Amino acid sequence: MVWLLVVVGLAAGSRRLAAQPLTVLARARVQAAVDAVRHDSSAIRERAWRREMRSADPVVARLATLGVATLARRTYRYPESDALLASLLPRGATLDAIGVQASLARAASLVTRWRPVEAGAALEATRRGAIQIGDSVTEGEVLAIMATFAARSGHRDSVRRLMRDAVARVSAGSSQAALFKCTEASFLRGEALRTADTLVTEGTALARSLGDTLVLARCLLVRGTLDEAQGSITRSSGPIGEAIALLRASKDLEGLGSAQQWMAYTLIQYAQEFGSGRRLAEQAIANGRQAQAPLVVAWAGLNLAQVALRVGDAVAARRAALDAQAAFGRLGDRQGELASRGILADALMLAGDVPAALATYEAVARQIAQMGGTNALSPNLLRQAAGHIELGNLSRAERLVDSSVALATSTGVQGIVVSSQHYWRGLIESRRGRYDAAIERFLQFKRGVGPQASHLNLDADLRIAEAFARSGRFEAAESVFTRGSASLDRMRGRAASRGDVLRLLTGQRYDTDTDLGIATTVAEFVRVGRLEAAFRIAESERARWLWTQRARRDAMARTKPDRGPLDDRMIDARDVQAALEPRTVVVSYVTGRGGEPTTAFVISATQLRAVVLPPIDSMTSDVERFVALLEGGSPATALARSLGKRLLDSVMRALPAGVRELRLVPDGPLHHLPFDALMLADGSRLLDHVAISRSPSARLAVAPSRPVAGGRIVAYGDPIFDSRYHLARLPGSADEARAVVRAGGGRGEARLRLDARAPAFREDRFDGVGVLHLATHARVQDWGLIDNAVFLGATSDDDGRIGADDLASMSLGVGLVVLSGCRTVGGLVATGEGVQGLVAPLLEAGVGAVVVTHWDIRDRSLIALMEDLYRGLAAGMTTSEALARAKRSSMRRGDSPTVWASVSLVGDGTLRPLVRASAASADGLRSAAVDRRRIAR
């Protein structure tokens, strides 16, 4: 019946065509197509119009063709719409009203697909046709689109002229007038916020009164972006969310993708809702691709780069920003290039490449000035100031802060800049040795941001503590630090509000130095012999990073694991000493950047010592070269000795006699360093003297552990991977899985091919399993908190991916997990927060220790070393002893360092996972796992 009514209505309408101007009919036909898509009646409309396309009346046939072409365009069937629109544009003939609308539709289609040269030609043709037939409304629409082109290419004067001309051609109370007001407001976002605010308010009200939902959605999106520009972040989500709902209802995938991209930006940038922001960005990319809108895809991709930056991985953020910059360059979008360069500069600063960061910030500033976005210049100048502070150019930094404040005041964007200036001025005063003035500046900063900004107050307190320590007021420094730590623990506790937790998760705050001076504070305490206080400060800050990274991973997870409360007991050196055996020593490194000293704490059962070492900045490039040479098979003797001299010689002199095991707590770039390959003063390797294990913190280095019941092995190998991941088969991993079970005394099973599938892994409780061996592919992105995964066999409804969040949410009563994959030791490395890729999730799941690899391993090259490891475990050796013996055997066989230096142990090195436990110990297994999970958190 509905279909009959539509057909009858169309037939009746066709008889009235002659009574209406062709311009009105053509515009009405386009609007009817848009409405049909929105109301899910496009199929009915299209069938009716296709019949009319065969009409003998050329006007009826051409209007029907315009309607079908618009339906095809609005449902993203571009080849079809292109052909139909071309049929309405005869060459050499003057365009009539239908031809003008067809030309406008073609231009709009080309704009969506961002083919600017062709779109520009189509716009010019449309404008000429509109002028010839006196269609001022269409001419105005063309001028507004041209203004968008001018804005993206940075021609601000052209934007103003084009928008002025566009507004003059439409009725003051029309939908076009509302759209033009909001469009002009979007162009003024970077230079005249008050004017923009007035325009978008008027445009939104007009669109709402007219009931034009598409124009209203556009205005609401601009409203949200203006709120964001003025610092009203919470308020901005309302209009953007309403725009998303309207665009989704209208089936406008391009507009929907754009709105989702903006919402993703605000969630990531301001709310630290990494998971929600990431999901919205991915939805925006999917919608943009379906609409074939490359600008939407590029901007949403930049959101994902922003996530990388916010979770602290400078390398991935830099790579993604460069990719986005190249994409925007190809598209001719200077705004996108500008945004990409901004993220690139932040990534370079986060990585510590300050000169390159400053050069990029300066390029961004020049581009901002060229494009007229003056309100964006103030934060840029502050970022430049931060870089010059790190380089010691304090006068230059002070001038930049002054310029930023003056500019913010003149443009009416004072809130953030004026309140935050005191932080940078505090850093400047501290560098100049004027510590009282620095403290006062940080206190001014705290007063400016208010007590609700808990995370910013904590940063300021850490800097105040540094100023106190630098000026020799150690009691005051420790008091401030203790106060900040207590506040942090309250914020991290079970009773903490979601807002408190989210405020802690920002990867970048005002300070570009991610360790906030902790390395300097710790070294100052050590120099005056206050070792216990220094250790408490270092370990507390390390715990903060560990917790923050876990919370970030949870924020990005698809499923939220049930987390217990944070273990808020303060650990000190005496706690560590009480937990150590006489022949075991914990060595905990604290690094900074920008010339900050490195400190190594040496803790045994009877003493606490500490040595101040050279800054890690002076060693980072050597560490990278050393790892590269070892991976390539070189012994790298010169670098092994040089790094050993700087990192180990003083530490070894501080060791008590008879030490057989070192539990290392690396920091910063040292997480990627194979310590046992370093050489000592006598030319021997560290591996020749001690067994080594690693831990993300001193607390975890002495965490309680109990024997594992059963002592069985479950080894996964040669899974059948999902084709979408393009993972090569690993036939040698089947041999490895069988070999380790045999070497472990045959107690266990090798699960291969169809038996090595992910669903069974997820469902297995691994009761009685001492060692879980995964000989398979692992992907650990440097910044990935949720993308990190191991890959097992796929099924029709499971892609085989076991993500970090999957691992963390499991309850694994397993003593040892061996990740015999590629680059499993990777993961986000920031000051003091440890290996996070796959190791931390496993420790959170209750695993006692994890064997990991530092670099890509050939399929069969590790089998002999792994067999030796399992023979040692089967003989009752501890995990650290068994791995050390296996590595030494590999060296004696003449194996390349690529093999024996590639493997490390993270976690409890005292475990004996293949020793059968007593019944009492078996009963305590689960509670032991719970204990380790509690401490890991």
Side-chain angles (χ1 to χ4, degrees), residues 41 110 173 177 237 250 313 395 490 563 580 585 654 684 710 749 775 820 844:
S41 60
L110 293 167
S237 62
S250 299
D313 179 12
S395 296
R490 287 193 298 273
R563 299 295 196 189
L580 289 175
V585 170
S684 62
E749 60 182 305
S820 181
E844 289 172 22

Side-chain angles (χ1 to χ4, degrees), residues 539-611:
E539 189 64 14
S540 176
E541 180 63 9
R542 200 182 302 270
R544 174 171 84 104
W545 272 102
L546 282 166
W547 180 88
T548 300
Q549 288 311 106
R550 188 199 73 162
R552 283 180 181 151
R553 186 170 57 250
D554 288 353
M556 294 179 69
R558 292 174 303 207
T559 58
K560 299 294 189 293
D562 181 26
R563 299 295 196 189
L566 178 74
D567 184 351
D568 57 3
R569 294 173 301 163
M570 174 63 73
I571 190 170
D572 59 28
R574 294 181 184 179
D575 297 325
V576 177
Q577 288 178 287
L580 289 175
E581 305 255 346
R583 289 155 60 95
T584 302
V585 170
V586 170
V587 178
S588 179
Y589 288 89
V590 179
T591 66
R593 79 175 211 198
E596 291 191 76
T598 298
T599 300
F601 292 96
V602 182
I603 310 172
S604 69
T606 58
Q607 64 185 17
L608 166 65
R609 294 185 180 181
V611 293

